[in-house]
Amino acid sequence: MKLGKGHALWAAAVMACICAWPAQAQVSSDIDALIKQAEAIKTSQPAKFYDVLERLEKRVEEATPEQRLKLRLLRAHGFLMKGKSEPAIRELRQIQQETKDPEMLFWTGSLLVNTYALTRKFEQGLTTLNEILPLATKVEKKDVRHRGLLVAGLLYNQVGEYALGQQYARQVLADTPEGRNQCAAGNLVAEAALGLKQAPSEEMIFRTIKFCEEQKEPILGGLTRTYLARKWVDDGKIDQAIELLERYLPTVTATGYPLVISEYHAMLASMYLKLGDMRTAQTHADEAVKRGMGMTSLPLVVAYKSLYEIANKQGHAEVALLRYQQYAEADKAYLNDVKTRQLAYQIVRQQILQKTQQISMLDQENQVLQLQRQVDQQAAQNTRLIVILLIVLVASIGYWAFKIKRVQLSLKKMAETDALTGICNRHHFTIRAERALAECARNGEQAALIMFDLDHFKNINDRFGHGTGDWALKEVSEASKGFCRRIDVIGRLGGEEFAILMYGCDLRAAARVAEDCRVRLAQIDTRDTGHVFAITGSFGVTSSMQSGYSLAKLLSHADKQLYRAKHQGRNRVCVYEPAHEHARDAGSNVLELPSREGRAEHHIGA
């Protein structure tokens, strides 16, 4: 069996609880006592934790600067427990900006990395991790240092860089960790070993399970047992692996964590199927699907595959076909998720390489300058004037080269950018979009095109002036950019018409983005202009699955849907589906996303 990266997401949730500020010494202050109490119960008694946090908030004026800092960390943790990741990120970022203490920077950075992992913002997480890791040697408190290194191991395991994940986890194990850190480090080492297709040591796995049990960490302990079961399956000890998972299935079920429970059932289904016990295999596979429904995970893929094989062996052709379709969809979603994480790592890695190259170039330039200085010092007096003249000449050349380069860059930007909105102009949009489509075609990826046009824009110009119209175009551009990823291309095609090419995006996802963008445009507050008016847009959407990889055809089909949206009342999204072209002309069986007020009548064509 392959190692599921979904494990790492649940491990991240557990790590977010583990990465708490180290327990403080007993103090006499009431506020310190409340802080210590909150730290002790924040993962085990959430309701009581919020009660203590509220009491601390009321006494914030009495607190010392150090106590206020700890209170803010507790506040950020409270946001995370309620699923409010953005306020937690803002709080932690603000703490980082206000402190210069390496230990506090390292610890808050570790929490930020963990939060980004939980919210699947892997690129931000990796960037933050690269910022804080150099501080590890300056952290005196071993517990804080260990937790930061464990976060590094966790994130690298998540993005498939198991060698790095194992390296950081082993650093912690080699430094005699205590408590939960030992459990988490052992779990990461075992997970990384399986990811690297290496057989983890049974002794190490048993030792890790024991540590997890002693620290009452059933989730990490449960995950570690799956690694042992995989090893036994690879060694041909299927019965022994089944006995292990069946024995601890009730314990894992009691945790209530769907992915871990789904993993146990999926593994058991696969094992029983190998033994020919299709009835028991189907029971476990059904339970794995039930627990894993709505998630993108390997256990769901394994469960659907088992159900497909069972139906196929039983000769139920229709059921087998259905199960195979479900298996294929789950496998595709899982692989896309894996690609997203790997892409985030490659992007950050490339950024680091570029910075390293820049530093290397600066070092080389410094070396050249030092050599030049030595030559200058050793030159005879009769050549000093010549040297000075040469230096002036070189400086002049460099200055004019710099000026010319700046002019070139300025001209390039002017040629590629729409002067009003700052996004791609039509020409540059066409070039970038065609490149992206060619890459999608080569890689077998889908691409989608969204075109939209502002409704009644001429009336805005006529009633309030072109200055107000320009303001509206810039606001629409800013709002639209918020829905684009770094790999997407957005451009102003002319007038009030815009387009977004979405890389690796299917039709339905693009339709949802278009609808969200439509709603956001309608929410733009125009009072800053001194006028009150509505900004709405009509959207047309198509994808390469329907229109192919020709930009011209994509634009043509999206444009048709845009004008269909105009004709049907504006302020709506219409989607191109050639299979129902006649039905669309008749006004039935269409995929269009009208305004939210009319959503009750929305109908999605099959």
Side-chain angles (χ1 to χ4, degrees), residues 150-219:
L150 288 174
V151 167
L154 171 70
L155 187 58
Y156 281 125
N157 276 6
Q158 283 184 315
V159 298
E161 294 298 316
Y162 294 108
L164 287 172
Q166 191 176 70
Q167 173 187 326
Y168 286 107
R170 288 192 182 280
Q171 283 186 34
V172 175
L173 286 177
D175 197 24
T176 59
E178 298 176 354
R180 295 174 175 175
N181 291 346
Q182 196 161 18
C183 164
N187 179 275
L188 290 175
V189 169
E191 181 185 52
L194 288 170
L196 294 169
K197 302 188 184 307
Q198 300 171 351
S201 165
E202 287 191 21
E203 179 184 353
M204 187 272 292
I205 294 179
F206 280 120
R207 187 166 59 251
T208 300
I209 292 172
K210 179 183 177 183
F211 291 142
C212 293
E213 288 176 343
E214 290 174 352
Q215 296 301 318
K216 297 181 180 179
E217 289 291 338
I219 300 171

Side-chain angles (χ1 to χ4, degrees), residues 262-294:
S262 178
E263 173 71 11
Y264 268 57
H265 284 292
M267 289 181 65
L268 285 168
S270 177
M271 293 176 193
Y272 277 117
L273 188 59
K274 286 183 179 180
L275 296 178
D277 188 348
M278 289 189 290
R279 183 174 181 180
T280 306
Q282 180 156 0
T283 299
H284 283 293
D286 287 337
E287 188 65 23
V289 170
K290 176 183 175 183
R291 298 282 185 171
M293 190 62 68

Side-chain angles (χ1 to χ4, degrees), residues 470-491:
D470 289 348
W471 178 90
L473 289 173
K474 287 189 280 187
E475 288 295 310
V476 167
S477 173
E478 286 300 316
S480 303
K481 285 194 291 186
F483 296 94
C484 297
R485 303 162 298 175
R486 295 180 57 159
I487 56 177
D488 298 333
V489 186
I490 181 171

Side-chain angles (χ1 to χ4, degrees), residues 295-298 300-301 304 324-340 444-447 504-507 545 549:
M295 297 186 293
T296 301
S297 64
L298 186 59
L300 195 62
V301 177
Y304 276 131
Y324 185 81
Q325 291 172 342
Q326 292 170 330
Y327 159 65
E329 291 172 1
D331 189 51
K332 181 181 178 182
Y334 170 70
L335 292 176
N336 286 340
D337 184 59
V338 172
K339 288 180 181 178
T340 299
E445 295 275 3
Q446 291 195 51
C505 186
D506 62 18
L507 188 65
M545 185 66 74
Y549 291 97

Side-chain angles (χ1 to χ4, degrees), residues 20 236 322 384-385 435 481:
L322 173 63
R384 184 172 296 173
L385 181 58
R435 289 175 182 170
K481 285 194 291 186

Side-chain angles (χ1 to χ4, degrees), residues 276-379:
D277 188 348
M278 289 189 290
R279 183 174 181 180
T280 306
Q282 180 156 0
T283 299
H284 283 293
D286 287 337
E287 188 65 23
V289 170
K290 176 183 175 183
R291 298 282 185 171
M293 190 62 68
M295 297 186 293
T296 301
S297 64
L298 186 59
L300 195 62
V301 177
V302 173
Y304 276 131
K305 184 179 181 182
S306 296
L307 290 172
Y308 157 68
E309 291 179 356
I310 291 170
N312 193 39
K313 289 180 181 180
Q314 291 176 341
H316 301 153
E318 293 183 2
V319 176
L321 178 59
L322 173 63
R323 294 305 189 188
Y324 185 81
Q325 291 172 342
Q326 292 170 330
Y327 159 65
E329 291 172 1
D331 189 51
K332 181 181 178 182
Y334 170 70
L335 292 176
N336 286 340
D337 184 59
V338 172
K339 288 180 181 178
T340 299
R341 301 182 197 191
Q342 293 173 341
L343 178 62
Y345 174 76
Q346 293 300 328
I347 290 173
V348 174
R349 183 170 178 268
Q350 185 62 32
Q351 292 171 349
I352 294 172
L353 287 174
Q354 289 177 352
K355 290 181 180 178
T356 302
Q357 290 172 355
Q358 291 173 356
I359 293 171
S360 176
M361 289 177 64
L362 289 173
D363 288 341
Q364 292 176 7
E365 289 176 4
N366 288 334
Q367 292 175 8
V368 171
L369 290 174
Q370 290 174 4
L371 291 172
Q372 183 66 50
R373 191 178 301 115
Q374 292 174 4
V375 171
D376 292 341
Q377 291 173 351
Q378 295 172 3

